[in-house]
Amino acid sequence: MADDRPAQGPRFRWPVEWLGILPFAVFAVLFLILPTMKIVVGAFQTPEGGFTFQNIIELNTDSIRSAYWTSIKLSFVTALLGCAVGFAMAAAVVFGGLPKGIRSPLLTFSGVASNFAGVPLAFAFIATLGPVGLVTVWLRTEFGINLRAMGFNLLSFWGLVITYLFFQIPLMILIITPALDGLKREWREAAAVLGATGVQYWRMVALPILFPSILGTFALLFANAFGAVATAFALTGPQLNIVPIKLFAQIRGDVLGNPNLGYALAFGMIVITAAANFLYIWLRVRSERWLK
Amino acid sequence: MMRLVAWGTLVLGCLYFLLPLLGMTEFSLKMRRGEYSLDAYRVVFADPRFWETFGYSLALSAATIVVGVVLVVPTAYWVRLRLPQARPFVEFVTLLPLVIPAIVIVFGYIRLYNTSSFLPLTGSAFGTDILLTMGYATLALPYMYRSVDTGLRTIDVGVLTEAAQSLGAGWFTILARIILPNVMVAVLSGAFLTLAIVMGEFTMAALLNRPAFGPYMQLLGANRAYEPPALAVIAFAITWGCMGLMQLVTRFAKHERAKA
Amino acid sequence: MSFLNLSHLEKSFGANRVVKDFNLAVEKGEFISLLGPSGCGKTTVLRMVAGFEVPTSGGIVIDGQDVTGLKANQRNIGMMFQAYALFPNLTVAENVAFGLKVKGVAKDRRDARVAEMLRLIGLPEMGGRYPFQLSGGQQQRVALARALAPSPRVLLLDEPLSALDAKVRVSLRNEIREIQRELGITTIFVTHDQEEALSMSDRVVVMNGGIAEQVGAPFEVYNRPATRFVATFVGTLNIFDGKVTGPETAEVAGVPVRLAEPVAVAQGARLSLALRPEAVHLGRKEGAEVVLPAVIQGVEFLGSIIRVRAEVAGSVVALDTFNRSDAPPPAIGTQAEVSLSGRDLIVLQD
Ligand SMILES: Nc1ncnc2c1ncn2[C@@H]1O[C@H](COP(=O)(O)OP(=O)(O)OP(=O)(O)O)[C@@H](O)[C@H]1O
Ligand SMILES: [Mg+2]
């Protein structure tokens, strides 16, 4: 109809096409955007609804600061180790001259392991590295090595790191293997024939090309560990001082004694994972000038 | 030399992954003193709570998959067909659940949909189930969307649609009879992944106080010794089964395509 | 001793012998082409010279130095690949400088060399671009500059033109040859395009099934093919059945002809005699030994050349004539005569 009167100049046209994604938009608003906004807004509100910075300021206590710090450290370390080990394993399979048959089982297993997170994962590690776990007992009876006496505790920071790596490493393998496949044989050979050593090739060509993928995976692993509740909760119960556990306890029973402080705590989590991702996007843009 | 390093890396890595699996399996068999037995499994399977929570999570998985498919397939299809300019926005939204922790999202739910709100979902058990389903659909959104969108890329959406329209098909028919069957593999992949995620999920169910499998496992873990590793073995088997089925449909589809 | 010597090179992948007793001596500054059908082992030979494949047996000597056991990065060789071998994360200038940088050449000397190389390939302004911002032909030119920048002893090219479209291919091959002459660099060029091989090379190696069937100047390979394979693979051939009537004489379609060279075949034996399309003349040519009636079957106008297919003595023969504006090509179905001479006949021995 509108086409019948073209002489009238530009008029407002209802964007009918956009109606097609209306259900999706409604879903996203109701179950993703609004809940998040609720947290963000709540972080700056008094219980009566007025605007305040008080909640944010109150985050600055020893206990909450140390919870954030531990969480950031935990996420950073597991993301870093996950990337490094996952990269090494993927590189071993793609470039190490191993039999072709290894690749597909490894990828399938990575798919399984990256989803084997949460409560059962904690059980598996308790049964292995816990006080009476398989490896603990075996080391003690066969070699006289007492892990506990050496200061190792599954319920500690490093215990958590070891446990988290079980889903972090496979995630890295899953994402980086296709990227490694994308490295052309000609690049390595061209570098070699120009006189470059293997190390020089990796430093000057391969790693810069892979950098965006590695960085993206790092950000993903970071957020993955930062938000993980179930594994830590099943492993150590509610007393471990990391942010998601603290928030869990706060939601359940207002342990902080201030409902709006919970908003601030959650808001802090969003800020940190968002910051990690913005950092990633920024670095990626900088490192990808050579891509369209 | 290089091959040696590669083998070393791989063997060490595999050791790290196999030991916990071995550990939980061995531990789960040790309930009876002095000998291996399946007692722990017997106890678990005899527990009516196990079956209740398992069934509950299974039902919720099914609901989540339905919601996910109904939400994602038409949206991805529409974005490809008519709204390429909406792609950045839609993709951004589908990636958000990877950035915003699940615990934050569910916290928002609890505060937003409480009994005194405009949509008092948490007021009833059924309402909470709906909320939990939506939460799971949110968690699965990144995987479901990616999978379906990749599937759509391999077919020519425009041509299929025009062909169907020229035969007089309406939008519902096109989606249900033309598009859906063509991306069935992608949908099934996404569905099995959703199943794996939902069956083990703990945080959302626990905070919404629903009797799901995740919180049940956690509760058992806090109170028992031998049943938890048995549960872990079962959970691992479920995850493995989901991933195996996912691979199976993909391979099956490749095979079919090769024949065609 | 030649500059580059390949002696008794063998390469097997498992039970599959891909290169068999390959011998080649290349003089300094020579341009050699390896020509052969797909899968005949051209790339494998080149990769052994580059150091990417270890020969099963045999040796490679460059400028008096046995390099058989050296790694690729110790051989000081330049190589150009089929396509997509530029490092995508480096600019054109950085790509060209790569070989110098890994050798530790100082920055100012590096920059000077890069500028020189970019001028050589005619892209002096493009140093700051990334590979994706270049056309295919430009990318390959940069790849050439990158290979040449460290002044390699030998330049290897593995079908560097095959991913380009026809026009660019011809202009770039002339450019490559010019640069090669200018620098006087010893070059091995792999191709399965015979026109490329014949037009560019000082000598051509025709390979088949891992064996070098003939090594020779293009003129020689084309006009005096050593084996039946070479004769049929290089250029178009018309094949006639013939009968040997004497040490240097034979019969074609019942007409006696004198051969260019004596044949070592018993009298009365049958053999195949081949003729290039340009050795068959349309019409009665002065001094021709054989004149046969023909029926025109097809005419292909190729520009300066017109290729005619005619039925002669029961078989179809291709012949080339030059285009002349005053003589239109014959019509299909018309009667004609073709003439040929015994000295142009190539004897094919099996
Ligand atoms: N790494 C390898 N492993 C096993 N077989 C190989 C390998 N590389 C090459 N071959 C085999 O060796 C033979 C020769 O290969 P090559 O690449 O040298 O051929 P080519 O003459 O370069 O052919 P094209 O013109 O198609 O490039 C082929 O049959 C190929 O299948
Ligand atoms: Mg080749």
Side-chain angles (χ1 to χ4, degrees):
Chain A
M1 295 275 260
D3 302 325
D4 296 342
R5 288 170 292 172
Q8 287 196 347
R11 288 179 310 123
F12 181 75
R13 226 181 114 244
W14 278 99
V16 197
E17 259 114 41
W18 288 84
L19 285 180
I21 59 165
L22 190 63
F24 176 80
V26 168
F27 173 88
V29 166
L30 277 184
F31 299 105
L32 197 54
I33 313 282
L34 274 186
T36 312
M37 290 318 293
K38 176 84 181 167
I39 304 284
V40 175
V41 172
F44 296 95
Q45 272 181 338
T46 60
E48 292 73 40
F51 178 84
T52 179
F53 278 117
Q54 196 53 37
N55 304 318
I56 307 292
I57 292 165
E58 274 178 42
L59 286 180
N60 193 14
T61 65
D62 281 346
S63 150
I64 294 180
R65 252 207 329 266
S66 101
Y68 270 112
W69 180 232
T70 313
S71 267
I72 291 174
K73 252 191 340 194
L74 180 67
S75 312
F76 187 84
V77 170
T78 60
L80 200 67
L81 286 176
C83 279
V85 178
F87 185 89
M89 289 182 72
V93 171
V94 176
F95 301 119
L98 303 183
K100 290 250 182 307
I102 287 184
R103 187 193 166 95
S104 157
L106 182 76
L107 287 182
T108 310
F109 180 83
S110 296
V112 177
S114 64
N115 283 298
F116 185 62
V119 180
L121 179 64
F123 294 165
F125 271 87
I126 291 173
T128 309
L129 286 169
V132 290
L134 181 71
V135 170
T136 315
V137 171
W138 182 66
L139 285 178
R140 199 171 51 220
T141 52
E142 299 295 317
F143 302 97
I145 299 172
N146 188 339
L147 285 179
R148 218 189 177 96
M150 289 168 64
F152 177 80
N153 180 358
L154 186 60
L155 312 186
S156 68
F157 179 81
W158 286 104
L160 227 50
V161 168
I162 290 184
T163 311
Y164 277 26
L165 284 179
F166 197 90
F167 56 79
Q168 299 280 60
I169 293 172
L171 205 52
M172 177 68 175
I173 294 179
L174 282 180
I175 301 177
I176 208 68
T177 302
L180 290 180
D181 286 336
L183 290 178
K184 296 213 159 54
R185 190 177 78 168
E186 283 90 345
W187 296 338
R188 200 174 56 231
E189 292 182 348
V193 92
L194 286 166
T197 61
V199 173
Q200 282 172 323
Y201 160 70
W202 275 99
R203 190 167 53 78
M204 296 165 74
V205 179
L207 282 180
I209 291 174
L210 291 174
F211 188 63
S213 308
I214 296 176
L215 213 61
T217 318
F218 183 86
L220 184 66
L221 295 193
F222 184 90
N224 200 22
F226 197 80
V229 179
T231 312
F233 192 79
L235 209 55
T236 65
Q239 64 272 33
L240 186 77
N241 196 19
I242 57 174
V243 184
I245 297 278
K246 225 181 178 63
L247 182 58
F248 189 87
Q250 165 68 10
I251 298 171
R252 274 215 162 152
D254 192 15
V255 289
L256 300 174
N258 173 358
N260 284 51
L261 193 51
Y263 287 131
L265 204 59
F267 174 67
M269 291 184 76
I270 301 178
V271 168
I272 286 168
T273 52
N277 278 278
F278 276 122
L279 192 69
Y280 154 60
I281 291 167
W282 183 68
L283 283 171
R284 180 174 183 134
V285 168
R286 273 178 43 111
S287 70
E288 270 192 350
R289 278 164 309 168
W290 49 274
L291 270 184
K292 264 166 283 189
Chain B
M1 173 60 196
M2 176 133 150
R3 188 167 309 193
L4 212 69
V5 174
W7 272 116
T9 311
L10 196 71
V11 168
L12 278 183
C14 288
L15 211 63
Y16 166 76
F17 284 106
L18 291 182
L19 277 178
L21 302 180
L22 201 68
M24 71 182 184
T25 313
E26 201 253 5
F27 209 96
S28 72
L29 299 173
K30 284 204 304 200
M31 194 172 197
R32 201 176 294 174
R33 231 167 237 294
E35 61 171 322
Y36 286 137
S37 70
L38 293 174
D39 283 3
Y41 295 90
R42 220 164 281 139
V43 174
V44 166
F45 288 137
D47 184 357
R49 294 273 301 147
F50 170 84
W51 295 109
E52 278 163 27
T53 55
F54 193 87
Y56 177 83
S57 283
L58 211 54
L60 231 56
S61 308
T64 306
I65 289 166
V66 171
V67 170
V69 172
V70 167
L71 202 63
V72 164
V73 175
T75 306
Y77 163 74
W78 195 249
V79 167
R80 278 210 170 264
L81 188 68
R82 287 288 170 78
L83 264 187
Q85 66 269 36
R87 172 173 295 278
F89 158 74
V90 172
E91 282 195 346
F92 176 74
V93 169
T94 59
L95 284 177
L96 275 182
L98 294 179
V99 178
I100 306 172
I103 188 169
V104 173
I105 295 176
V106 74
F107 186 27
Y109 288 180
I110 292 170
R111 292 300 164 86
L112 197 58
Y113 300 115
N114 60 29
T115 40
S116 56
S117 77
F118 68 103
L119 202 64
L121 285 173
T122 55
S124 65
F126 182 65
T128 315
D129 288 344
I130 291 179
L131 195 56
L132 189 53
T133 306
M134 294 306 171
Y136 286 163
T138 308
L139 292 189
L141 188 62
Y143 308 100
M144 199 56 146
Y145 190 85
R146 216 121 303 250
S147 180
V148 170
D149 195 49
T150 313
L152 282 174
R153 193 163 54 203
T154 60
I155 61 175
D156 194 331
V157 173
V159 169
L160 279 183
T161 305
E162 276 165 22
Q165 277 174 333
S166 70
L167 295 173
W171 287 116
F172 181 79
T173 316
I174 292 176
L175 273 172
R177 306 279 299 274
I178 312 284
I179 301 301
L180 192 60
N182 269 298
V183 294
M184 208 53 198
V185 174
V187 166
L188 283 177
S189 290
F192 287 126
L193 195 62
T194 306
L195 181 63
I197 293 172
V198 172
M199 285 311 289
E201 207 284 332
F202 166 76
T203 314
M204 284 191 162
L207 287 175
L208 287 174
N209 260 323
R210 297 307 296 155
F213 192 51
Y216 166 75
M217 287 196 285
Q218 190 273 328
L219 203 67
L220 214 63
N223 302 313
R224 304 289 186 84
Y226 298 100
E227 289 89 335
L231 280 176
V233 171
I234 295 168
F236 188 77
I238 295 171
T239 314
W240 189 279
C242 290
M243 294 299 131
L245 286 172
M246 210 168 121
Q247 286 242 317
L248 207 66
V249 289
T250 317
R251 204 165 301 164
F252 181 70
K254 269 198 200 120
H255 188 69
E256 286 288 289
R257 205 165 303 149
K259 266 200 308 196
Chain C
M1 188 100 184
S2 305
F3 185 73
L4 167 65
N5 268 288
L6 313 181
S7 47
H8 307 292
L9 273 189
E10 293 262 347
K11 180 69 191 177
S12 305
F13 292 107
N16 186 10
R17 272 178 81 200
V18 172
V19 175
K20 297 165 198 161
D21 193 24
F22 189 91
N23 293 286
L24 183 65
V26 187
E27 297 306 325
K28 194 166 169 67
E30 211 180 357
F31 191 110
I32 298 268
S33 288
L34 301 187
L35 175 65
S38 189
C40 70
K42 308 179 295 287
T43 297
T44 307
V45 169
L46 209 66
R47 291 172 60 79
M48 286 194 282
V49 177
F52 299 135
E53 305 283 359
V54 181
T56 310
S57 65
I60 302 165
V61 176
I62 302 176
D63 201 7
Q65 181 199 13
D66 185 350
V67 299
T68 319
L70 286 187
K71 288 214 185 90
N73 59 9
Q74 299 163 330
R75 292 193 182 191
N76 191 15
I77 278 177
M79 181 151 179
M80 208 174 145
F81 299 82
Q82 209 168 36
Y84 316 118
L86 290 182
F87 306 129
N89 60 318
L90 302 181
T91 61
V92 166
E94 288 165 340
N95 263 286
V96 175
F98 187 90
L100 302 167
K101 198 168 171 190
V102 298
K103 282 199 179 73
V105 175
K107 173 116 174 60
D108 48 342
R109 283 191 38 215
R110 226 158 58 204
D111 291 347
R113 180 73 175 158
V114 168
E116 182 188 342
M117 283 294 124
L118 291 182
R119 259 198 318 278
L120 187 68
I121 58 166
L123 299 174
E125 308 295 320
M126 302 258 174
R129 294 221 191 162
Y130 284 95
F132 80 89
Q133 296 166 311
L134 302 180
S135 72
Q138 291 171 332
Q139 286 187 25
Q140 286 305 73
R141 271 188 258 179
V142 174
L144 178 66
R146 182 180 68 178
L148 291 173
S151 313
R153 296 186 287 188
V154 177
L155 179 64
L156 307 176
L157 308 131
D158 191 357
E159 308 201 21
L161 306 174
S162 62
L164 307 174
D165 54 55
K167 259 233 164 67
V168 183
R169 200 148 64 204
V170 172
S171 73
L172 192 51
R173 91 182 177 209
N174 292 333
E175 222 169 299
I176 289 179
R177 181 60 163 137
E178 254 166 51
I179 291 174
Q180 186 270 337
R181 274 216 187 90
E182 197 178 319
L183 302 180
I185 185 168
T186 314
T187 302
I188 303 184
F189 180 93
V190 162
T191 179
H192 56 231
D193 180 335
Q194 44 165 311
E195 191 189 314
E196 236 166 64
L198 296 177
S199 65
M200 295 174 80
S201 327
D202 293 320
R203 281 192 294 155
V204 178
V205 180
V206 183
M207 289 184 68
N208 184 32
I211 293 173
E213 300 242 346
Q214 186 173 10
V215 182
F219 181 83
E220 194 182 329
V221 168
Y222 186 79
N223 291 307
R224 278 187 286 283
T227 67
R228 188 188 186 100
F229 172 81
V230 175
T232 50
F233 185 75
V234 181
T236 311
L237 274 190
N238 299 303
I239 299 184
F240 301 93
D241 278 334
K243 198 167 86 184
V244 181
T245 54
E248 281 186 48
T249 53
E251 255 180 38
V252 176
V255 185
V257 291
R258 190 162 190 84
L259 298 173
E261 287 165 24
V263 281
V265 182
Q267 236 187 43
R270 306 208 68 90
L271 80 175
S272 301
L273 297 168
L275 262 185
R276 297 293 184 192
E278 63 271 24
V280 186
H281 301 276
L282 194 58
R284 190 175 284 266
K285 195 191 179 207
E286 219 171 298
E289 284 174 279
V290 185
V291 179
L292 297 167
V295 181
I296 307 297
Q297 298 240 307
V299 176
E300 235 179 302
F301 189 76
L302 301 175
S304 63
I305 282 177
I306 301 165
R307 174 156 293 180
V308 178
R309 281 183 299 114
E311 193 188 319
V312 178
S315 58
V316 176
V317 169
L319 57 96
D320 288 352
T321 63
F322 283 113
N323 170 49
R324 275 172 41 197
S325 55
D326 57 348
I332 293 172
T334 51
Q335 303 279 339
E337 283 179 323
V338 298
S339 44
L340 48 96
S341 286
R343 61 176 181 280
D344 294 325
L345 285 168
I346 301 166
V347 178
L348 298 183
Q349 275 153 352
D350 306 291

